Amino acid sequence: MSTLRILALAISSLTLTACGGSSDSSGSDTYPDSYIQFYNGSANSANTTLQLIEADDDEIAIGSATFADATSLVTMEGGSYDLELNWTPASGETATVRTDKVTLADGEKTFLAMLGDFNSPELLTFKFSRDDELDDQFKVAMLDLVNNSNSYDLYISEDDQAFSDAKLVNSASYKGLTQFQTYDTGSYIFYVTKGGDKTVLFKSDAVTLSYETEYLLVLRSATGPSAGNKLALDLIGNTTSVTTLEDITSNAQFRIYNSMNNTGTGSVFLGDLTATPAIAKLPIDTLSAYTEVVAGDYRVSLTDDKGALVMRNGLMTLSQGAVKSVVFYQDANDKAAAITVTDSKTPQVYDFVFNAVNTIPDYDQVSLYFVKPGYTMENTAYYVTTLNYASQTSVTLPAGEYTMYVVHKDNNNNKILLAQTELTKLVSGSNYLLLAEKEQNSLSGFKLTLAK
């Protein structure tokens, strides 16, 4: 696939403190140093870097994290540090969104969580001692970053048990961390309820916790199209890989783009053609709104404006919480075909993550260029070198204005311009889909559509 260039732990004492707090930990043979990790819980944030500054002004980059992601666990010398949370705007100059102080102690992990509006974010600091006595065991706790008046209970069960067999880990309110509990390594299911209530609001799929370490579960509001009041759990260990646990009781969502020039207004059916269409009378070259359905495997069919069958028996698999787009198009044999892509559920604010789909059968592959004002295809930093026919790729662009081009390169690397968009400003909160298509009415015979 082409791409653009471009836990928790044994607690002898657990406190929520302001940055600059101190600890009396003296370390251990297993964990003699101090440790720090940064989690980005600000939904409208850019990719954010944590930097520590020593007394002699030496700067130490801990790492960077996008929303719902974390840095790896970094080993440090104990002591007091100034800190900065930085990001890089389109200008290329580093901008600081928050400064603070933090004190690190030997044998102790400091977990920093950024939350709130990225224009003026909060920074929570949690400190707890590393546990060097785990024996085929792990520890787990939950941090509540759901901004409401509710408290939430975290439950855990073995993967072959029901909620009635689950054990209460503990409770937390907004900005609070539960106490840590110890369990044998293995495969588990997590549940979330409102505090003191037994109605399950969130149920994860089974997840294997096999390391003798401490895990944090961050409870937050789900993001993505029509997220509503849904919840998400981010599982954080000691690496930069954060696993977002999906609620297996949640529905899925899909939308349709109709690139079938000979269908007129098309209708899309899931399963039985005699049922009410899931999406009715969708005009040509139009992207529908998202439709919410129960998760599952669906037979997808398309009819034309007269009700005649254009395509049948397409397969669309929608897992719990999935968000997908389906593109209907005419293939090289002039028959109906479909491409299904998985849409990003990240907030589209500073960075836009979307799919590009190539339905042009005339060439085996094309290239895409995303050009800001004042730049050209020769010096833009944003491009896709190779996008094969009937394929898709994920694109990430920083906020701004772009003219987008689809180009074919011959064997001598000569470029043929097939189509381009107007200069377009990416609109915050939009879930885009970029399509390279045939177009009989254009001078070139092709077009490039940025739909949302």
Side-chain angles (χ1 to χ4, degrees):
M1 177 181 290
S2 299
T3 57
L4 285 182
R5 206 174 36 147
I6 326 217
L7 85 135
L9 297 93
I11 279 191
S12 52
S13 67
L14 171 65
T15 56
L16 169 61
T17 70
C19 290
S22 62
S23 169
D24 295 327
S25 299
S26 58
S28 67
D29 291 339
T30 306
Y31 302 111
D33 300 305
S34 60
Y35 308 88
I36 188 169
Q37 188 174 31
F38 169 67
Y39 170 82
N40 183 349
S42 174
N44 70 335
S45 65
N47 187 28
T48 305
T49 299
L50 171 64
Q51 186 165 268
L52 299 188
I53 304 169
E54 297 180 303
D56 58 3
D57 292 333
D58 283 347
E59 299 177 349
I60 303 169
I62 299 302
S64 60
T66 56
F67 171 64
D69 199 5
T71 66
S72 60
L73 189 68
V74 175
T75 302
M76 296 286 296
E77 292 184 2
S80 295
Y81 299 85
D82 292 328
L83 69 81
E84 292 180 349
L85 296 178
N86 299 321
W87 72 291
T88 305
S91 65
E93 296 183 4
T94 299
T96 299
V97 294
R98 184 181 175 94
T99 61
D100 220 314
K101 296 181 181 294
V102 65
T103 298
L104 308 181
D106 291 341
E108 187 176 77
K109 175 177 175 178
T110 298
F111 183 82
L112 302 177
M114 183 178 71
L115 69 157
D117 185 351
F118 189 58
N119 293 309
S120 181
E122 293 185 66
L123 187 65
L124 304 181
T125 303
F126 300 90
K127 298 173 180 293
F128 36 84
S129 300
R130 302 297 305 267
D131 189 341
D132 58 0
E133 297 183 355
L134 295 174
D135 184 11
D136 290 330
Q137 297 171 312
F138 67 91
K139 288 180 176 288
V140 68
M142 181 182 73
L143 170 61
D144 177 7
L145 294 187
V146 181
N147 189 3
N148 59 32
S149 59
N150 298 324
S151 63
Y152 292 94
D153 293 343
L154 176 68
Y155 287 85
I156 187 172
S157 75
E158 296 181 14
D159 61 0
D160 58 352
Q161 294 179 329
F163 176 65
S164 57
D165 301 311
K167 298 178 176 63
L168 176 65
V169 177
N170 224 304
S171 303
S173 298
Y174 181 48
K175 303 181 186 178
L177 185 69
T178 69
Q179 291 185 341
F180 289 80
Q181 301 293 342
T182 304
Y183 302 94
D184 293 335
T185 53
S187 185
Y188 291 90
I189 296 172
F190 291 103
Y191 308 83
V192 177
T193 71
K194 283 186 179 180
D197 191 67
K198 288 298 181 102
T199 301
V200 175
L201 303 177
F202 178 99
K203 177 184 177 183
S204 78
D205 204 347
V207 58
T208 299
L209 301 175
S210 56
Y211 294 103
E212 297 175 346
T213 190
E214 306 85 7
Y215 294 95
L216 275 174
L217 285 168
V218 177
L219 180 68
R220 59 175 174 84
S221 297
T223 55
S226 304
N229 295 319
K230 298 175 184 177
L231 301 173
L233 271 179
D234 293 327
L235 177 64
I236 304 171
N238 294 329
T239 71
T240 189
S241 298
V242 172
T243 301
T244 296
L245 304 180
E246 295 288 353
D247 180 3
I248 67 170
T249 66
S250 66
N251 292 333
Q253 299 174 73
F254 75 97
R255 59 183 179 174
I256 301 292
Y257 184 84
N258 180 9
S259 183
M260 299 289 296
N261 291 327
N262 59 356
T263 64
T265 55
S267 294
V268 178
F269 294 82
L270 300 184
D272 192 348
L273 286 171
T274 63
T276 302
I279 297 174
K281 298 182 179 179
L282 181 65
I284 299 170
D285 299 333
T286 301
L287 182 63
S288 74
Y290 283 100
T291 297
E292 186 169 324
V293 294
V294 175
D297 298 307
Y298 290 93
R299 181 174 68 248
V300 182
S301 302
L302 175 69
T303 61
D304 64 16
D305 52 4
K306 298 179 181 179
L309 189 63
V310 176
M311 175 182 168
R312 69 184 306 169
N313 297 334
L315 175 63
M316 178 173 62
T317 296
L318 295 170
S319 301
Q320 292 84 356
V323 180
K324 294 189 176 183
S325 294
V326 181
V327 177
F328 285 101
Y329 68 100
Q330 289 173 267
D331 67 14
N333 298 315
D334 206 31
K335 294 184 178 181
I339 298 175
T340 301
V341 299
T342 299
D343 294 339
S344 171
K345 294 193 288 185
T346 60
Q348 309 288 297
V349 182
Y350 290 92
D351 294 296
F352 290 78
V353 183
F354 56 91
N355 290 292
V357 177
N358 176 20
T359 65
I360 295 175
D362 301 57
Y363 307 101
D364 291 336
Q365 60 191 35
V366 297
S367 302
L368 299 174
Y369 292 86
F370 306 86
V371 182
K372 291 185 174 184
Y375 290 81
T376 68
M377 281 187 274
E378 293 295 332
N379 59 17
T380 182
Y382 311 107
Y383 55 84
V384 175
T385 302
T386 302
L387 180 55
N388 293 331
Y389 166 63
S391 297
Q392 75 280 340
T393 189
S394 179
V395 172
T396 301
L397 295 178
E401 293 182 313
Y402 298 87
T403 302
M404 304 179 185
Y405 301 88
V406 56
V407 170
H408 171 66
K409 295 180 182 179
D410 64 21
N411 292 334
N412 295 318
N413 207 34
N414 297 312
K415 296 177 183 177
I416 303 172
L417 177 60
L418 304 181
Q420 69 185 74
T421 66
E422 298 292 332
L423 179 64
T424 302
K425 183 177 181 179
L426 300 180
V427 178
S428 178
S430 300
N431 284 70
Y432 288 105
L433 182 67
L434 183 66
L435 301 110
E437 311 171 73
K438 293 269 288 186
E439 175 51 69
Q440 296 177 348
N441 296 324
S442 72
L443 292 176
S444 68
F446 309 99
K447 67 178 178 179
L448 188 61
T449 303
L450 184 66
K452 64 176 180 178

